[in-house]
Amino acid sequence: MRKVIIIGGGPSGLMAAVAAATHGAKVTLVDKGNKLGRKLAISGGGRCNVTNRMDESELISFIPGNGKFMYSPFSVWNNENIIHYFEGLGIQLKEEDMGRMFPVTDSAKTVVDTLLKEIHRLKVTIRTNERVKSLQINEEHVTGVKLESGKTIEGDAVIVATGGTSVPHTGSTGDGYPFAKSAGHTITDLYPTEVPITSNETFIKNRSMQGLSLRNIALTVLNKKQKKIVTHTGDLLFTHFGISGPTALRCSQYVVKERKKNKQSPVTLSLDLYPEETVASLQQQLLSYKETDGARSSKNALANFAPERYLLTLLNRAQIDSTTPLKEISHEQLQTLSELTKAFLFTANGTLSIEKAFVTGGGVSIKEIVPKTMASKQKEGLYFCGEVLDIHGYTGGFNITVAFSTGYTAGLNAATAE
């Protein structure tokens, strides 16, 4: 019977434990915290978005950080396997918008408790409040781990499932990177992804739009030459430091990368309030408001055109006095207002820190990992899974799918390797 040691009790570590124990290994799961599954317990806003039901190619397109690597792990354990697995444990799942899968209880506790119960059933040895100090390595092989207490645990395989550096209160504090380096692995640059964006624009600093939420908008990140890098549609929230919400989170990594390319210069963002409309169709709308409500002030006549605080900012940019009757506003000014509504430009000066991010970009280089097994190419008996790797997706069940898939693949192969 092979002995498998897993470092880290997050989503990938728990799934690795399940897979290794199911395939006959004697499994020891070591975690420095006092309980397992802490990141799983807060995922999906506390509801636990266990996976996403998109088809494989679309799923991979939502994993912008080295998503193509996932074709191999998905051939072993994919999103449908994850769904069937949890349903087999008695957890009923439901599908929501964009393919997101949640437990019908809307409680992450259901998932965590059921998974831990299964791990106990599989007789996995759990060692919480134990911190791994280092890997035990000989010239070619990892032989176990050394704990900070001075004790060692011998094993045939070690799986590093320690997470990244995001959401550190769950235990993800970058512990796995030194382990990987000690085995000869490269750690690519770490950076925040799925993180709110910061801005020094006047309307942010004076908090005139703080707390304002815009629905179904499009946010575009522009490069130094003002050409589009990426556009995401969805909801956006103005905050006291910048912008948040799904579109901002998805655009954040491109802001980080563009700033890095250009000596940390500000990055231009473009906000489109009506992605389905054209400048011409918006101008027609404004002209119709002018005909029907022209006697009213611009601010009041256009009350249904945009939320008041955003409208005032647009009017200000278009140099339209909000108190002037709409009938006195020229066609040229309404043309400008239409253009601004489709492309409201402002600059981002960065993002919140990696500790405030939902996901860590960068990590153990995937060039040094065998994708079909998650085994290290540097040392025999060493495996990696989850966010410690240089793989990241958008929010919406994609990162947890990566964690479960790579975790299961690592556990299976650590248990069955010859």
Side-chain angles (χ1 to χ4, degrees), residues 21-146:
T22 301
H23 289 87
K26 180 176 172 53
V27 181
T28 301
L29 179 58
V30 186
D31 191 276
K32 67 183 179 184
N34 59 2
K35 58 182 178 180
L36 306 177
R38 283 177 293 171
K39 200 161 191 179
L40 202 55
I42 64 167
S43 66
R47 295 198 299 138
C48 195
N49 187 179
V50 295
T51 189
N52 194 294
R53 204 160 209 168
M54 289 179 176
D55 67 58
E56 189 173 278
S57 59
E58 193 177 7
L59 189 67
I60 283 171
S61 74
F62 280 80
I63 306 170
N66 294 317
K68 289 181 180 176
F69 176 90
M70 290 304 300
Y71 279 112
S72 287
F74 283 162
S75 72
V76 178
W77 186 255
N78 63 18
N79 52 344
E80 290 299 324
N81 295 124
I82 293 165
I83 291 166
H84 293 148
Y85 176 72
F86 283 114
E87 289 180 339
L89 291 180
I91 300 174
Q92 285 183 282
L93 300 178
K94 59 179 177 177
E95 184 173 343
E96 296 189 2
D97 62 301
M98 296 286 289
R100 297 180 303 153
M101 301 297 294
F102 290 93
V104 296
T105 59
D106 281 328
S107 172
K109 192 173 186 299
T110 305
V111 178
V112 176
D113 289 352
T114 304
L115 207 46
L116 293 181
K117 185 179 176 183
E118 181 65 2
I119 282 171
H120 285 296
R121 187 189 70 79
L122 291 166
K123 296 183 169 51
V124 172
T125 300
I126 296 170
R127 298 181 67 157
T128 49
N129 296 308
E130 294 263 28
R131 191 182 288 268
V132 173
K133 183 178 182 180
S134 61
L135 302 179
Q136 299 279 88
I137 305 171
N138 62 27
E139 285 185 12
E140 295 181 352
H141 206 284
V142 172
T143 60
V145 299
K146 185 173 184 178

Side-chain angles (χ1 to χ4, degrees), residues 109-404:
K109 192 173 186 299
T110 305
V111 178
V112 176
D113 289 352
T114 304
L115 207 46
L116 293 181
K117 185 179 176 183
E118 181 65 2
I119 282 171
H120 285 296
R121 187 189 70 79
L122 291 166
K123 296 183 169 51
V124 172
T125 300
I126 296 170
R127 298 181 67 157
T128 49
N129 296 308
E130 294 263 28
R131 191 182 288 268
V132 173
K133 183 178 182 180
S134 61
L135 302 179
Q136 299 279 88
I137 305 171
N138 62 27
E139 285 185 12
E140 295 181 352
H141 206 284
V142 172
T143 60
V145 299
K146 185 173 184 178
L147 304 177
E148 283 200 343
S149 63
K151 297 175 186 173
T152 59
I153 307 173
E154 303 296 324
D156 301 294
V158 174
I159 301 173
V160 178
T162 49
T165 59
S166 306
V167 203
H169 71 271
T170 62
S172 296
T173 52
D175 300 7
Y177 305 130
F179 302 153
K181 282 183 178 177
S182 71
H185 281 277
T186 305
I187 309 301
T188 63
D189 286 348
L190 304 177
Y191 57 93
T193 74
E194 302 302 296
V195 65
I197 294 170
T198 59
S199 172
N200 277 331
E201 292 282 357
T202 302
F203 63 85
I204 297 295
K205 291 171 81 174
N206 67 18
R207 303 193 176 195
S208 60
M209 288 201 281
Q210 182 179 342
L212 175 64
S213 180
L214 300 179
R215 305 295 300 273
N216 302 316
I217 58 88
L219 186 66
T220 299
V221 182
L222 303 174
N223 67 14
K224 191 177 180 182
K225 296 180 179 178
Q226 302 301 288
K227 300 291 185 186
K228 169 183 156 180
I229 297 173
V230 70
T231 298
H232 282 293
T233 56
D235 300 344
L236 180 138
L237 175 70
F238 288 98
T239 69
H240 64 284
F241 55 77
I243 54 172
S244 189
T247 52
L249 297 182
R250 290 190 172 184
C251 286
S252 60
Q253 63 179 290
Y254 302 97
V255 170
V256 172
K257 290 171 184 174
E258 185 63 16
R259 290 188 76 234
K260 189 177 177 184
K261 271 188 201 172
N262 296 293
K263 299 178 181 176
Q264 302 300 318
S265 298
V267 176
T268 304
L269 303 176
S270 177
L271 199 163
D272 181 353
L273 190 62
Y274 291 108
E276 303 299 317
E277 301 285 346
T278 63
V279 169
S281 68
L282 288 177
Q283 187 167 21
Q284 281 305 120
Q285 276 189 48
L286 294 172
L287 289 172
S288 69
Y289 283 124
K290 186 174 179 178
E291 277 185 30
T292 56
D293 277 334
R296 301 174 71 194
S297 67
S298 299
K299 179 181 80 170
N300 291 335
L302 299 177
N304 293 326
F305 184 70
E308 182 180 5
R309 287 187 286 162
Y310 192 66
L311 175 64
L312 290 173
T313 305
L314 288 173
L315 292 172
N316 183 51
R317 281 270 182 104
Q319 297 184 327
I320 296 172
D321 186 334
S322 64
T323 63
T324 301
L326 188 58
K327 65 184 179 184
E328 295 178 19
I329 306 303
S330 69
H331 279 29
E332 290 76 15
Q333 285 175 299
L334 293 182
Q335 168 80 13
T336 301
L337 183 58
S338 303
E339 290 168 355
L340 281 168
T341 305
K342 289 290 293 175
F344 180 81
L345 302 180
F346 62 104
T347 57
N349 67 338
T351 67
L352 294 186
S353 68
I354 197 166
E355 293 80 15
K356 297 286 175 65
F358 285 101
V359 183
T360 303
V364 177
S365 173
I366 57 164
K367 294 175 183 176
E368 299 163 359
I369 304 295
V370 181
K372 195 84 176 179
T373 64
M374 304 311 299
S376 163
K377 292 180 181 178
Q378 312 293 70
K379 294 288 180 183
E380 287 182 26
L382 180 60
Y383 298 79
F384 293 90
C385 58
E387 206 175 328
V388 72
L389 292 162
D390 183 9
I391 305 171
H392 66 268
Y394 298 130
T395 53
F398 305 104
N399 292 292
I400 205 165
T401 301
V402 168
F404 284 150

